[in-house]
Amino acid sequence: MQRRNRFSVLLASSAVLALGLTACGSGGSDDSSSEEAASGTTVSVETNDGAVEVAVPPQSVAAFDNRTFKLLDDWGVELSTGAVSLMRADLSYKDNDQILDTGNHREPNLETIVEADPDVVIIGQRYADYKEDIASLAPEAAMIDLDVREDQPFGDELKRQVTELGKVFEKEDEAQALVDDYEAAKERVAAAYDSEDSVMGLITSGGDINYAAPTVGRTLGPVFDDLELTPSLEVEDASEDHQGDDVSVEAIADSNPDWILVMDRDAGVNANSGEEFTPADELIADSPALQNVTAVAEGNIVYMPEFTYLDEGLVTYTEFYNSIADSMEQAN
């Protein structure tokens, strides 16, 4: 009888021990699940296609929007694939052989996207036409299109791009700091600019000086609206051609702008390729037709950052606006 009782006690003790081990095991599993849940957090990103849920932090990133390359590099974002050939020469991505390069947008090698298997794709600008193709190659990826929309204020679009990407890469504070810097630069220009002063936008390309139309002109066009500048010349049927519009230098001179803003396309393109080119300041200085223009005579010429043609993002415009403010403050 006593033996049976001792045996019953042993069974009961074993059962209790088993339950205890099971409970401990369950507790460990719950902790593990919690950790997994924490690392599997999602954020909602407002893209051009509506709200997109993105798991953060992303494990494999593909980048194809020129406006974002410098931003991502500064934030230390690792890329699995992207348009490395279109990136400015001073980015760390250019020397990273681990990134699968899809190449130039004219003849991209999109098959590398399959190998990279991205969970996030940042699409826009020169690669915008390939969005559907890329989506079909990475059907499980979150497609983030934050390209600047023409029906929205330009500055707001640049800020939106940085702010939304800040969510994806857990850099919201850094994104807000960039937005604040941009707003501060705009305020500086507003305080220094006299609206009675006329402004001309120029693009130099292939040794030519071309006209950048207000509002619609490539790169410089939106600046007129964003900073509320007074154009010295407006023409019909102006385009957003990347080399500017073919308006005679004499017509530009006749408009006699008080200020000239310049984007040197060759500086961005040829600095990457190593090819020689004539810098914008030399082209303008050597143009006989422009020598009596007020902006030239008084040295009121402001050049966009060297890599602007390859990087038209928020930071580039912040730097440019501060340069405009510097020049206008000195002139006053």
Side-chain angles (χ1 to χ4, degrees):
M1 187 71 174
Q2 291 179 347
R3 292 179 61 186
R4 284 199 298 270
N5 286 341
R6 285 198 298 270
F7 184 65
S8 299
V9 170
L10 287 173
L11 285 177
S13 299
S14 299
V16 170
L17 179 60
L19 286 171
L21 290 174
T22 302
C24 290
S26 298
S29 177
D30 288 344
D31 290 342
S32 176
S33 298
S34 298
E35 290 174 2
E36 289 177 6
S39 64
T41 302
T42 64
V43 295
S44 180
V45 179
E46 290 299 324
T47 75
N48 293 0
D49 303 309
V52 173
E53 292 297 318
V54 181
V56 296
Q59 301 303 304
S60 177
V61 180
F64 303 105
D65 184 344
N66 283 71
R67 295 185 199 272
T68 68
F69 297 151
K70 177 71 164 59
L71 180 72
L72 298 177
D73 198 28
D74 287 346
W75 284 351
V77 176
E78 295 183 5
L79 302 183
S80 55
T81 184
V84 180
S85 298
L86 293 178
M87 296 179 182
R88 43 191 283 184
D90 60 342
L91 300 190
S92 68
Y93 297 143
K94 296 290 283 188
D95 300 320
N96 189 340
D97 295 335
Q98 300 302 308
I99 302 173
L100 300 174
D101 185 9
T102 54
N104 192 288
H105 57 291
R106 294 185 179 86
E107 295 181 357
N109 177 18
L110 299 182
E111 293 303 318
T112 63
I113 296 170
V114 177
E115 182 179 349
D117 189 25
D119 46 18
V120 165
V121 174
I122 302 170
I123 190 73
Q125 272 209 310
R126 293 166 174 83
Y127 263 68
D129 290 342
Y130 301 104
K131 183 162 70 173
E132 292 184 4
D133 296 324
I134 292 173
S136 67
L137 294 170
E140 301 301 319
M143 189 69 62
I144 301 179
D145 181 356
L146 296 169
D147 209 352
V148 170
R149 296 169 295 188
E150 294 183 1
D151 62 343
Q152 299 296 322
F154 180 71
D156 290 349
E157 289 295 280
L158 294 180
K159 290 185 291 184
R160 176 183 68 112
Q161 187 173 65
V162 170
T163 300
E164 294 302 313
L165 289 177
K167 297 178 186 178
V168 175
F169 298 106
E170 301 175 306
K171 298 286 186 180
E172 292 179 86
D173 290 342
E174 291 86 346
Q176 186 58 53
L178 294 177
V179 169
D180 292 343
D181 289 345
Y182 175 80
E183 290 296 338
K186 279 188 65 174
E187 289 174 5
R188 286 187 63 203
V189 176
Y193 175 60
D194 183 346
S195 61
E196 293 186 2
D197 286 350
S198 63
V199 183
M200 166 67 67
L202 298 177
I203 295 176
T204 60
S205 178
D208 295 325
I209 300 173
N210 298 320
Y211 169 73
T215 304
V216 299
R218 174 67 183 268
T219 309
L220 282 167
V223 172
F224 282 83
D225 297 328
D226 203 30
L227 298 180
E228 298 183 3
L229 305 177
T230 303
S232 65
L233 176 66
E234 295 184 75
V235 301
E236 294 182 0
D237 301 322
S239 75
E240 56 180 13
D241 187 83
H242 61 241
Q243 298 186 48
D245 285 324
D246 187 15
V247 174
S248 72
V249 179
E250 288 73 22
I252 294 171
D254 288 342
S255 73
N256 194 29
D258 296 297
W259 289 90
I260 292 177
L261 308 179
V262 185
M263 193 269 278
D264 189 338
R265 178 179 178 271
D266 293 337
V269 175
N270 294 3
N272 256 16
S273 65
E275 296 180 17
E276 294 185 1
F277 66 96
T278 303
D281 58 344
E282 292 184 20
L283 289 174
I284 293 173
D286 293 341
S287 174
L290 297 178
Q291 298 316 298
N292 294 324
V293 170
T294 299
V296 177
E298 296 184 1
N300 294 339
I301 306 174
V302 187
Y303 298 89
M304 300 195 81
E306 179 184 21
F307 287 108
T308 296
Y309 183 67
L310 297 177
D311 180 7
E312 300 169 54
L314 184 76
V315 173
T316 294
Y317 280 93
T318 300
E319 181 180 343
F320 182 46
Y321 289 0
N322 277 320
S323 295
I324 294 174
D326 288 342
S327 296
M328 290 184 171
E329 289 167 357
Q330 292 172 9
N332 287 339

